[in-house]
Amino acid sequence: AINLLREKLQDRGVVVQTLLLFSDDIARAVLNTALEREATLIVLGLTGKNIFARLLAGNVPVELIKNTKIPVLLLPPDWSKPV
């Protein structure tokens, strides 16, 4: 999914960097990386987890939005389906 999005954006002349991160604190790792790389937008794909799973795993989108001034774009789990 990320490759498809990157290709579509690059075809439109948008500079895109993708990075695979592993961390116990996903939100903090994303925020630190975004700041280090001077990102202008954070794009995050939602998994479709239910509320119980989000409570156990933490709510990364909420943490990102609360802790950064960088715009955050959230994509729904089925974002690639035609409208």
Side-chain angles (χ1 to χ4, degrees):
I2 195 71
N3 288 334
L4 177 64
L5 179 59
R6 185 187 71 239
E7 289 169 7
K8 287 185 176 189
L9 289 170
Q10 287 175 333
D11 289 346
R12 290 179 172 85
V14 177
V15 176
V16 178
Q17 293 180 1
T18 57
L19 181 66
L20 181 60
L21 297 172
F22 295 93
S23 176
D24 292 336
D25 187 344
I26 297 168
R28 179 62 40 210
V30 169
L31 290 173
N32 288 340
T33 303
L35 290 172
E36 289 170 8
R37 293 176 177 251
E38 299 179 355
T40 57
L41 177 67
I42 298 171
V43 179
L44 185 68
L46 300 176
T47 62
K49 292 180 183 175
N50 63 32
I51 190 69
F52 182 70
R54 285 180 194 240
L55 288 173
L56 289 177
N59 198 333
V60 174
V62 170
E63 291 302 312
L64 287 173
I65 293 167
K66 284 182 3 184
N67 293 300
T68 188
K69 293 183 180 190
I70 300 169
V72 178
L73 173 62
L74 302 176
L75 301 174
D78 59 352
W79 72 273
S80 63
K81 292 182 182 176
V83 179

